[in-house]
Amino acid sequence: MQWFEYARPGTVDEAVRLLSEHGEKACVLAGGTDILVQLRGGFRAAEWVIDVKEIPALDEIAWDEASGLTIGAAVPCYRIYEDEDVKKLYPGLIDVASLIGGTQIQGRASLGGNLCNAAPSADAVPIMIALEASCRIAGTNGERTVAVEDFCTAPGKNVLAAGELLVSLHFPAPKANSGAHYLRFIPRNEMDIAVAGAGVSVVLDNGNFTSARVALASVAPTSLFVKQAGDALAGQPVSDESIQRAADIAKQAAKPIDDMRGTVRYRKHLCEVLTRRALHVAVERARRNN
Amino acid sequence: MPRRVHVQTTINGEEIDFLCEARQSLLEVLRDVLGLTGTKEGCNDGNCGACTVIFDGRIVTACLVLAVEAEGKQITTVEGIAVGRELHSIQQCFLEGAALQCGICTPGFIVAAKALLDQDNNPSEDKIRLWLANNLCRCTGYDKIVRSVQAAAERMQEVR
Amino acid sequence: MSEQSYEPNMVLSTKEFDVVGKRPLRHDGVDKVTGRAIYGADVSMAGLMHGAVLRSPHAHARIKSIDTSKAEAHPEVRAVVTSTDFVDPGDKAVDLGEGLTRLSYIRNNVLALDKVLYRGHAVAAVAAASLHDALEALKLIEVEYDLLPPVLTAPDAMKEDAPLLHENLRMTEFGRPTDKVSNVSDHFRHEKGDIEQGFAEADLIVEREFDTSTVHQGYIEPHNTTALWNNDDRIHIWTSTQGPFTIRDTTAAILDKPVSQVRVTPTEIGGGFGGKIPVYIDPVAALLSNKSGHPVKIVMSRAEVLEGTGPTPGSHLKIKMGVKSDGTMMAAQAWLAYEAGAYPGAMVVPGGMCVFAAYDIPNVTIDGYDVVVNKPSTAAYRAPGATNAAFATESVVNEIAEKLGIDPLDLRLKNASKEGTRRADGPKFPRIGCLEVIEAMKNHPHYSAPLEGPNRGRGVAVGFWFNAGLPSACNIAVNPDGTITLVEGSPDIGGTRTSVAMQAAEVLGLPAEKVSPSVVDTDSVGFTAVTGGSRVTFSTGLAAIEAARDVREQMIQRAAKIWGVESDGVEFRKGVFHLKNGTENRMTFSELAAQIATTGDPIVGRAGVNPPGVGGSFSGNIVDVEVDPETGKVTILRFTAFQDAGKAIHPSYVEGQMQGGSVQGIGWALNEEYFMNAEGKMMNSSLLDYRMPTSLDLPMIDTVIIEVANPGHPFGARGVGEANIVPPPAALANAINNAVGVAMNRLPMNPVAVMGAIWEKNGATD
Amino acid sequence: MPIVFIPAAMKELTAGAAEIRVGGSTVREAVAELEAAYPGIRDWLFEDNRLKPNIAVAVDGVVSPIGLLQHVDENSEVHFVAAISGG
């Protein structure tokens, strides 16, 4: 592997200073499950590896009713699915935290890393979009907030400028009668890259959808927020027909490619199937939250 | 000589320090620097589980951890599973249950299974299969591995 | 299934022994569960350098030049080698464990000379103080290529205008050379009866075409080697191999040295399945050692394993079978084209021998084609060639059963091969267990268990592998404490130290624990062929039996000497020597062993065998699946594997072979493939994307061991390592068809493929 | 006298005969008799004066590890088959 130096800053400010000092020559290490593979494979070059796991703001999970849920960008998946608040309030997050990689990967991989890596197939991103998550970003000029759906810009690219650091992810407190679910399709049952995935959230009111959000994995250069699919459900009765319409919209919106994991036709088809199935589960969860 | 980093850590209960390059993985240092070759390399990208170690209480693949990250951590490798001359129940059950053929994946499975049984002494077959899905075995078809983990769980309950 | 009303692992035992058939702990077990066992990559020694191999990024190209000067100038680099570092001893035909091949092919595969024939083909290598430095130095080697168009499948490579891999490869046809320059290196034919007449007499003819993808053995341990070219010009190699003598002989041939100058120590080996028979990096490490003056270790990366070692062939097959309306098979025709990869030697010959082996058919024609393509040079993989062939044949047999309305196992029983059945390639079968396997399948509760629910289906198939004999050697020494040490040359990949030791123990009336088996280097035991061909428990087992008998005879003589009688006055029963003729004089093995040192010479038994009497093994599967009709994903609900073991020496490890082989067959069937782009680049060369089954993809694999004793072995043993991989793809295809009504004719039957077939059946356009 | 089976693809060497009774008490002697009667048989089977490495001798259905030295008796069936081992 290429030669690099290692730093382990203890504060956001120190990390930002290192990142701006080394610019393009620096990369951030959280769980390392993507970045170390990329460095080793020569797909990415870095002279400095900045380990951000010991920065408190990147390492905490915090919940309160007023501001919602905050998950530090470097919190590994297992801490998310073992967190009692997340278990109770954000089952959609549990879905993804427990299916990224296998047990060992979940011991290291983080939602923040999954987002920053900006793979089209990122499992965590569609559900974060569906849950209206936002990203807290620190830089030399202070902080800014970006909606998750605006964070990734192309495969492997994101909005972070040189010297910027993703600190944490924020999820609004779940609305009454809401539910969310992430469903992906893989040929094996574990250890696989999504052929397609659908992250959805719904809010119900007396048998009608109040609102809904749908986002897809692996069918576009970045996770695809299909706003029109969710909008099509708003105000509609909860029924197989309305869900089917939203699923069909998701299918039409998908712009996948042919590759070793699937064909265009198959992936578009999966978007319909997965969106439909995920919406049914989300509805069930919303009803249970009654 | 490129700059090396001094790391202090605890491996199998013993305080150890070593020098490494930042680019070296924990797997490399365990095997090439510390001589703990029980931890195996099968893919070097986190997909086979042969290099599974317990890292501050959680299993990880040592190929996806930098050795410098071991600073101040508690690490358990396969060499630390048996207590003295006494095999761990999992090791004993793997032997009795013929859960290994070539044996290259065995250290990873034993470490992963120990971490599972430490947190759940009566896992279902499904839970065992899910927990171990990051550990590939090409010889056994997993049947005897899963049965041996079940047998170890029973034995550990009896002991308690 | 929560309540099991049946035994998941059954042994239909026909003969009992004292040790054989029991389940002792394996002798190497403690080292392997504690991490102490030393595998090839664990080898370390003073002054060790790390080697790395530069591989071609192109599937087909001429090498114009290689400039290694910048790499040589790297401060940490100790040596750089290319194919020009080989002494060229001229070409010759050699037999190095896996049949005839040309030395030039092996040498050029180890390091390309003038052409690269697949992406991943080794071109050069460096040795440096650390692996990181070696890998950095590889980037400094400049290779100029002239790109040539690649050809990637057998049907494409057989076309008249196909790009040629080898400009001087002339096709052999029907055993004789021709002048035809071609990518087809060999065309053979087996004929039996009158094929035209056979089809004319058939009431139903089914003809289908099939494709199977290139797949890898997928052992978890990458190839590795450490070579020391010593100052006395002797070369010592520590490596993970199925055949230390094969490595010795091949390395010596490539380096043009006498075999006595090469010593190979087989380390523990992390899986092989046929893939660790060929030589790849051992001669390269030797060259690097010679140039650098240091021992050099090379360990392949996973991508190198997938792209640079031998997978097993993809294939294109046509099968035509004709039957009477009562199910009697009248005629069968096969056309098999297997992809050898870069150099001749696809596994089509055994494919042709196995394709109709399960059936007694009067009229048969089999054509086989060995075709070179721009993929890695293929290697054996567990019953090499047979799985491809059985996928095709068994699919057709299942279709015939369905069309005739006959139970698929009844159809097989009606036509099953038995002792005396003449095979298509000529000889008659000796005692085989084909009928017994099919009967056991029919009688198993799985076959009659109800299978309810939509999109669920059940499938069956059978498979066959010949197994191998080949030479093995064994020495046994008697220790004064009544134990024996057993020395053998067969690397232990799946518990064979124990299965071999048990056979010696049986002869000597000892418990298995009193045998201490060791696998030793090529200077320390007689020639022993590869751990492959399901041969170790059979052949090395026979060597152990013979060596133990040798010990027993010497022990009887010693007892006779002590008792002052002729040796025919001593009898040996169950570990005890008895003086005949009424007296109470007896000595246990241990008691006599304790007296050896004071009563004469040490007792050492020895044997070298090359046994005939190999027992082929039949296998079968019953599998239940559920298919998601919206995604095409196949979930295996229940799987039962059947196999004739002759006599299961250690039933746990026989079950292990059956379970492991079945799961490899499942992976081959459902997801595994070399996914190549048009340029011949493997797109999925990682264990993330080369999708071998995980624990979560499988149910328990139930087993039934059938014991139809092999008359060629004292305990009746047949090799069990291979036949188990043969039936799963066909059984799964059958089950998928039964579940959702689509006939799958291509492997892998992954979700995209199954969904595509469902769409086609439904006439869906989008 | 043992019977040597000639594969269909080789029958042009034996004027179409598929099964030929020959003398000899070993495979080597049988092949020598065959060659005398049908010149060309040796070239098919031999290379460098020994059996080609990809060809094995099966006598009565059993592949012989000693090949040409294998004893044959009155009613032996001799086949020349592919030599295979396995994975």
Side-chain angles (χ1 to χ4, degrees):
Chain A
M1 185 156 41
Q2 54 200 306
W3 176 265
F4 56 74
E5 302 286 336
Y6 171 86
R8 190 189 299 125
T11 65
V12 170
D13 286 350
E14 195 187 341
V16 165
R17 186 185 57 74
L18 283 165
L19 287 170
S20 56
E21 187 182 320
H22 299 293
E24 296 291 321
K25 292 176 182 165
C27 73
V28 171
L29 172 70
T33 54
D34 284 317
I35 193 76
L36 294 182
V37 176
Q38 291 163 6
L39 288 169
R40 194 172 283 143
F43 311 120
R44 191 162 171 159
E47 293 176 14
W48 277 87
V49 169
I50 315 295
D51 185 347
V52 296
K53 286 191 290 295
E54 302 210 346
I55 302 172
L58 278 87
D59 191 43
E60 66 185 14
I61 301 182
W63 155 255
D64 73 75
E65 218 160 317
S67 52
L69 176 72
T70 301
I71 297 180
V75 172
C77 288
Y78 80 91
R79 277 177 49 205
I80 296 170
Y81 62 68
E82 287 180 358
D83 186 279
E84 291 305 322
D85 292 323
V86 182
K87 273 197 242 180
K88 196 164 63 206
L89 298 164
Y90 298 91
L93 280 181
I94 303 296
D95 294 338
V96 299
S98 50
L99 62 66
I100 290 175
T103 316
Q104 286 88 323
I105 300 296
Q106 290 155 16
R108 298 268 293 168
S110 60
L111 298 190
N114 196 245
L115 180 61
C116 289
N117 190 50
S121 58
D123 284 311
V125 184
I127 194 68
M128 291 199 287
I129 293 173
L131 292 170
E132 299 181 72
S134 58
C135 314
R136 186 180 139 213
I137 297 167
T140 40
N141 300 322
E143 293 197 355
R144 62 176 175 133
T145 300
V146 172
V148 165
E149 57 263 38
D150 298 327
F151 188 86
C152 301
T153 54
K157 303 262 188 271
N158 59 45
V159 298
L160 293 180
E164 281 194 319
L165 173 70
L166 175 67
V167 176
S168 57
L169 298 153
H170 292 258
F171 300 83
K175 300 186 178 84
N177 307 323
S178 67
H181 185 48
Y182 176 72
L183 190 59
R184 72 168 174 191
F185 181 79
I186 54 174
R188 290 194 287 198
N189 290 329
E190 259 285 28
M191 300 305 292
D192 228 331
I193 303 288
V195 180
V200 305
S201 67
V202 300
V203 183
L204 307 184
D205 180 29
N206 281 332
N208 287 337
F209 287 103
T210 305
S211 63
R213 287 168 71 90
V214 173
L216 303 173
S218 287
V219 292
T222 61
S223 304
L224 186 67
F225 177 36
V226 191
K227 185 168 183 306
Q228 57 278 33
D231 290 350
L233 288 171
Q236 298 295 311
V238 175
S239 67
D240 288 352
E241 291 73 26
S242 61
I243 288 174
Q244 185 63 51
R245 266 197 307 280
D248 287 337
I249 293 170
K251 176 180 177 178
Q252 294 313 316
K255 296 183 275 293
I257 55 166
D258 278 328
D259 70 9
M260 61 187 167
R261 301 193 182 103
T263 59
V264 168
R265 181 187 184 189
Y266 183 65
R267 284 187 154 130
K268 285 180 77 88
H269 168 78
L270 282 180
C271 286
E272 183 271 314
V273 174
L274 297 173
T275 302
R276 168 163 44 85
R277 290 180 179 182
L279 281 169
H280 279 291
V281 175
V283 164
E284 274 312 301
R285 285 179 174 174
R287 285 176 173 154
R288 253 183 277 142
N289 289 345
N290 233 336
Chain B
M1 199 61 180
R3 197 170 72 84
R4 288 174 191 244
V5 186
H6 177 224
V7 177
Q8 283 188 296
T9 188
T10 305
I11 300 178
N12 300 328
E14 283 186 39
E15 286 181 26
I16 283 180
D17 44 356
F18 58 81
L19 289 175
C20 69
E21 297 176 3
R23 63 180 171 176
Q24 285 184 294
S25 68
L26 176 60
L27 175 60
E28 271 180 271
V29 167
L30 287 174
R31 291 177 52 80
D32 298 346
V33 178
L34 302 175
L36 293 167
T37 56
T39 305
K40 301 302 181 190
E41 177 182 321
C43 70
N44 215 21
D45 57 13
N47 288 303
C48 78
C51 66
T52 299
V53 299
I54 302 176
F55 191 76
D56 264 6
R58 292 297 301 190
I59 50 171
V60 300
T61 47
C63 67
L64 294 186
V65 177
L66 293 178
V68 289
E69 295 182 69
E71 179 71 37
K73 304 289 187 192
Q74 296 278 340
I75 297 166
T76 304
T77 69
V78 68
E79 289 92 345
I81 302 293
V83 181
R85 288 179 32 78
E86 191 86 2
L87 291 181
H88 190 282
S89 295
I90 292 167
Q91 294 169 313
Q92 192 61 37
C93 289
F94 265 56
L95 284 181
E96 292 170 9
L100 56 145
Q101 284 178 36
C102 81
I104 197 81
C105 70
T106 307
F109 272 99
I110 283 175
V111 171
K114 177 182 187 296
L116 170 63
L117 297 185
D118 282 348
Q119 62 155 251
D120 181 351
N121 67 5
N122 189 21
S124 65
E125 181 188 334
D126 277 352
K127 182 165 184 186
I128 295 169
R129 288 185 180 277
L130 174 62
W131 183 271
L132 297 177
N134 203 160
N135 291 79
L136 292 176
C137 170
R138 192 60 159 172
C139 294
T140 66
Y142 305 102
D143 183 301
K144 292 186 190 302
I145 292 175
V146 174
R147 289 184 196 278
S148 295
V149 175
Q150 291 171 322
E154 280 176 32
R155 194 165 302 182
M156 288 164 74
Q157 288 166 35
E158 285 162 18
V159 170
R160 274 173 200 155
Chain C
M1 204 172 300
S2 55
E3 287 297 313
Q4 278 175 346
S5 54
Y6 69 103
E7 201 49 50
N9 305 112
M10 290 193 270
V11 184
L12 306 181
S13 209
T14 49
K15 198 171 175 198
E16 301 298 329
F17 298 88
D18 293 331
V19 181
V20 162
K22 304 295 188 292
R23 303 180 187 237
L25 297 189
R26 61 190 285 169
H27 297 79
D28 53 339
V30 167
D31 282 350
K32 285 180 176 166
V33 298
T34 55
R36 287 200 192 94
I38 298 298
Y39 291 75
D42 306 335
V43 169
S44 185
M45 58 192 70
L48 186 68
M49 294 290 142
H50 297 268
V53 177
L54 182 70
R55 294 178 181 276
S56 168
H58 309 297
H60 195 189
R62 209 170 294 285
I63 299 172
K64 282 173 73 180
S65 66
I66 304 176
D67 182 353
T68 59
S69 55
K70 286 181 186 151
E72 280 159 17
H74 187 290
E76 301 297 328
V77 167
R78 299 293 186 279
V80 183
V81 297
T82 66
S83 64
T84 57
D85 289 286
F86 286 128
V87 179
D88 186 355
D91 202 7
K92 57 184 172 185
V94 287
D95 179 17
L96 298 164
E98 278 295 296
L100 179 70
T101 187
R102 304 208 74 79
L103 184 58
S104 61
Y105 291 153
I106 302 177
R107 197 172 55 229
N108 291 347
N109 192 40
V110 165
L111 280 174
L113 179 61
D114 50 352
K115 273 183 96 177
V116 289
L117 296 170
Y118 55 96
R119 188 189 141 94
H121 198 156
V123 172
V126 305
S130 85
L131 179 59
H132 295 283
D133 292 324
L135 291 171
E136 292 299 307
L138 287 185
K139 297 177 190 161
L140 303 174
I141 298 175
E142 290 164 5
V143 186
E144 260 193 292
Y145 295 101
D146 261 345
L147 298 196
L148 298 165
V151 58
L152 299 169
T153 68
D156 284 350
M158 293 173 84
K159 289 177 184 158
E160 285 298 325
D161 58 348
L164 289 172
L165 274 76
H166 304 276
E167 286 84 355
N168 49 12
L169 174 63
R170 289 182 165 72
M171 180 168 73
T172 298
E173 189 153 45
F174 309 138
R176 278 169 295 174
T178 71
D179 288 335
K180 188 175 166 54
V181 177
S182 168
N183 288 323
V184 179
S185 72
D186 185 34
H187 170 207
F188 68 81
R189 179 177 294 162
H190 301 307
E191 283 178 280
K192 174 185 169 188
D194 182 336
I195 193 76
E196 301 296 332
Q197 185 64 31
F199 282 122
E201 289 170 15
D203 297 320
L204 170 70
I205 294 174
V206 173
E207 184 172 6
R208 295 281 173 255
E209 292 193 29
F210 302 86
D211 286 282
T212 72
S213 286
T214 303
V215 293
H216 200 273
Q217 301 82 358
Y219 32 81
I220 303 300
E221 178 203 36
H223 294 255
N224 55 70
T225 188
T226 302
L228 171 64
W229 194 311
N230 217 337
N231 306 59
D232 58 4
D233 221 22
R234 289 175 58 88
I235 301 161
H236 194 161
I237 292 170
W238 295 258
T239 185
S240 165
T241 178
Q242 291 176 244
F245 285 90
T246 302
I247 299 289
R248 180 193 71 175
D249 294 357
T250 314
T251 303
I254 288 177
L255 299 174
D256 200 24
K257 296 283 176 193
V259 293
S260 60
Q261 251 168 274
V262 180
R263 175 183 184 184
V264 176
T265 298
T267 62
E268 296 302 332
I269 168 173
F273 315 109
K276 284 185 186 153
I277 295 171
V279 165
Y280 300 105
I281 45 182
D282 310 279
V284 179
L287 286 180
L288 288 168
S289 177
N290 190 32
K291 248 188 179 176
S292 67
H294 288 268
V296 174
K297 175 154 87 174
I298 301 177
V299 180
M300 285 195 194
S301 70
R302 179 52 55 176
E304 285 183 284
V305 170
L306 287 165
E307 296 184 9
T309 72
T312 217
S315 53
H316 184 76
L317 315 94
K318 296 178 206 170
I319 299 288
K320 180 178 176 185
M321 296 181 82
V323 293
K324 288 282 196 192
S325 52
D326 68 353
T328 306
M329 294 179 180
M330 297 306 299
Q333 190 165 9
W335 186 96
L336 315 171
Y338 283 32
E339 298 162 3
Y343 299 97
M347 298 296 160
V348 66
V349 168
M353 289 167 76
C354 291
V355 63
F356 298 126
Y359 304 109
D360 185 355
I361 310 172
N363 307 294
V364 180
T365 300
I366 298 162
D367 278 281
Y369 298 85
D370 187 323
V371 188
V372 293
V373 298
N374 292 111
K375 292 188 195 172
S377 187
T378 55
Y381 179 18
R382 212 165 197 155
T387 305
N388 314 43
F391 170 55
T393 301
E394 291 295 287
S395 293
V396 168
V397 171
N398 284 329
E399 184 175 341
I400 289 169
E402 197 187 325
K403 287 208 158 119
L404 293 179
I406 299 177
D407 176 279
L409 293 182
D410 285 340
L411 177 64
R412 286 173 170 85
L413 280 174
K414 186 178 182 71
N415 295 284
S417 290
K418 47 189 101 46
E419 186 172 3
T421 297
R422 188 174 294 287
R423 290 158 25 196
D425 64 324
K428 289 178 180 169
F429 270 117
R431 182 77 175 97
I432 48 171
C434 184
L435 267 174
E436 289 81 353
V437 166
I438 301 169
E439 278 165 359
M441 291 168 74
K442 247 207 120 179
N443 294 335
H444 194 274
H446 185 171
Y447 198 59
S448 49
L451 180 62
E452 283 150 9
N455 304 308
R456 292 182 168 195
R458 177 167 295 156
V460 297
V462 299
F464 173 68
W465 183 250
F466 284 91
N467 297 332
L470 303 175
S472 280
C474 180
N475 302 327
I476 293 175
V478 181
N479 296 317
D481 61 359
T483 64
I484 60 172
T485 52
L486 184 156
V487 171
E488 53 166 318
S490 295
D492 180 354
I493 318 185
T496 54
R497 278 184 182 86
T498 302
S499 66
V500 169
M502 287 169 74
Q503 297 179 62
E506 183 75 43
V507 172
L508 295 174
L510 299 171
E513 295 73 22
K514 290 211 169 184
V515 185
S516 173
S518 304
V519 177
V520 298
D521 68 71
T522 53
D523 277 6
S524 307
V525 68
F527 183 89
T528 298
V530 297
T531 295
S534 303
R535 61 173 293 281
V536 173
T537 296
F538 171 74
S539 277
T540 308
L542 264 172
I545 289 169
E546 291 300 325
R549 286 174 173 168
D550 187 6
V551 165
R552 186 178 64 193
E553 285 317 302
Q554 293 178 50
M555 296 282 276
I556 286 172
Q557 284 168 22
R558 189 63 55 91
K561 185 176 174 186
I562 290 168
W563 283 325
V565 298
E566 292 297 315
S567 55
D568 61 5
V570 178
E571 197 175 42
F572 182 65
R573 291 193 312 268
K574 302 227 175 232
V576 180
F577 298 87
H578 299 266
L579 183 57
K580 288 183 189 167
N581 300 332
T583 68
E584 289 296 302
N585 274 344
R586 62 194 292 282
M587 269 189 285
T588 65
F589 189 93
S590 294
E591 287 164 353
L592 181 52
Q595 296 189 50
I596 289 173
T598 53
T599 54
D601 301 331
I603 289 182
V604 180
R606 55 149 198 88
V609 301
N610 189 354
V614 179
S617 180
F618 279 88
S619 61
N621 295 157
I622 305 171
V623 57
D624 296 349
V625 303
E626 180 170 326
V627 180
D628 181 340
E630 290 192 328
T631 65
K633 184 164 173 169
V634 176
T635 300
I636 298 173
L637 305 171
R638 185 173 178 184
F639 193 104
T640 310
F642 301 77
Q643 191 170 346
D644 174 16
K647 175 69 204 176
I649 303 294
H650 192 309
S652 294
Y653 289 99
V654 175
E655 291 157 9
Q657 289 295 319
M658 294 167 69
Q659 292 164 334
S662 295
V663 168
Q664 287 186 315
I666 289 169
W668 191 340
L670 295 184
N671 276 308
E672 294 178 33
E673 64 177 318
Y674 272 47
F675 193 99
M676 314 295 285
N677 73 3
E679 287 77 47
K681 177 183 180 187
M682 182 183 185
M683 303 302 288
N684 58 334
S685 57
S686 75
L687 293 182
L688 181 60
D689 289 319
Y690 185 83
R691 299 190 199 95
M692 310 197 299
T694 74
S695 54
L696 197 58
D697 300 323
L698 299 160
M700 292 296 185
I701 306 296
D702 296 337
T703 58
V704 179
I705 297 172
I706 292 108
E707 294 190 345
V708 177
N710 170 17
H713 185 278
F715 308 130
R718 297 170 187 271
V720 293
E722 296 171 282
N724 36 58
I725 198 176
V726 179
L732 280 160
N734 189 207
I736 292 167
N737 196 347
N738 189 237
V740 290
V742 294
M744 303 301 298
N745 56 6
R746 181 179 285 270
L747 299 181
M749 301 178 287
N750 60 25
V752 185
V754 173
M755 196 67 232
I758 291 172
W759 280 332
E760 198 180 312
K761 177 191 148 208
N762 296 342
T765 51
D766 185 28
Chain D
M1 289 200 294
I3 309 173
V4 178
F5 284 68
I6 307 298
M10 289 296 142
K11 280 194 293 193
E12 65 183 67
L13 292 177
T14 57
E19 300 174 19
I20 301 170
R21 285 204 170 267
V22 291
S25 62
T26 65
V27 175
R28 184 188 293 281
E29 289 169 11
V31 170
E33 287 216 5
L34 212 51
E35 173 71 14
Y38 305 104
I41 290 281
R42 268 187 71 93
D43 283 353
W44 159 46
L45 294 171
F46 282 56
E47 184 174 286
D48 299 336
N49 224 9
R50 51 171 240 182
L51 205 58
K52 288 178 182 168
N54 57 336
I55 295 178
V57 175
V59 175
D60 297 329
V62 177
V63 172
S64 167
I66 56 175
L68 298 173
L69 302 180
Q70 180 65 43
H71 173 77
V72 288
D73 61 31
E74 199 59 357
N75 299 310
S76 293
E77 281 190 16
V78 178
H79 287 87
F80 296 98
V81 297
I84 57 170
S85 54

